[in-house]
Amino acid sequence: MSDTDKPALTMAPKMYVHYCEHEGCEMWGGFGRSASKDEPPHWWCWEHFPHKSHEQEQALIRQRLEAIQRESGAK
Ligand SMILES: [Zn+2]
């Protein structure tokens, strides 16, 4: 198995390309927010999106912990 076995993306990129604004983060910025319609929106990955609800923050923390537990238990 190698990455070259994956099928190439055939979908043409129609969307404006925007990555997470968090410094040093190179994740895709799938979550945007603009203060007003006159200002360009800002984009973040889900992890750095600063407008999550408390419940969403807690769910993200839980997912991280579960991922860590899975990794440490895998070997
Ligand atoms: Zn980010």
Side-chain angles (χ1 to χ4, degrees), residues 20 22 25 27 45 48:
C20 177
H22 191 83
C25 180
M27 297 275 284
C45 67
H48 293 129

Side-chain angles (χ1 to χ4, degrees), residues 66-75:
E66 283 169 9
I68 290 166
Q69 284 168 355
R70 266 200 308 275
E71 275 179 30
S72 61
K75 286 182 180 173

Side-chain angles (χ1 to χ4, degrees), residues 2-75:
S2 78
D3 284 345
T4 52
D5 294 328
K6 289 177 185 167
L9 283 175
T10 52
M11 222 168 63
K14 290 177 200 162
M15 279 170 61
Y16 174 67
V17 176
H18 45 77
Y19 290 93
C20 177
E21 293 194 353
H22 191 83
E23 203 176 322
C25 180
E26 294 178 348
M27 297 275 284
W28 175 252
F31 298 88
R33 177 111 164 186
S34 61
S36 77
K37 63 179 168 60
D38 298 323
E39 285 179 42
H42 297 274
W43 297 94
W44 297 270
C45 67
W46 178 238
E47 193 164 331
H48 293 129
F49 185 60
H51 304 288
K52 291 194 289 284
S53 72
H54 179 73
E55 287 76 20
Q56 288 169 328
E57 284 277 14
Q58 295 302 307
L60 185 66
I61 290 167
R62 220 164 31 238
Q63 283 170 15
R64 277 191 210 150
L65 286 174
E66 283 169 9
I68 290 166
Q69 284 168 355
R70 266 200 308 275
E71 275 179 30
S72 61
K75 286 182 180 173

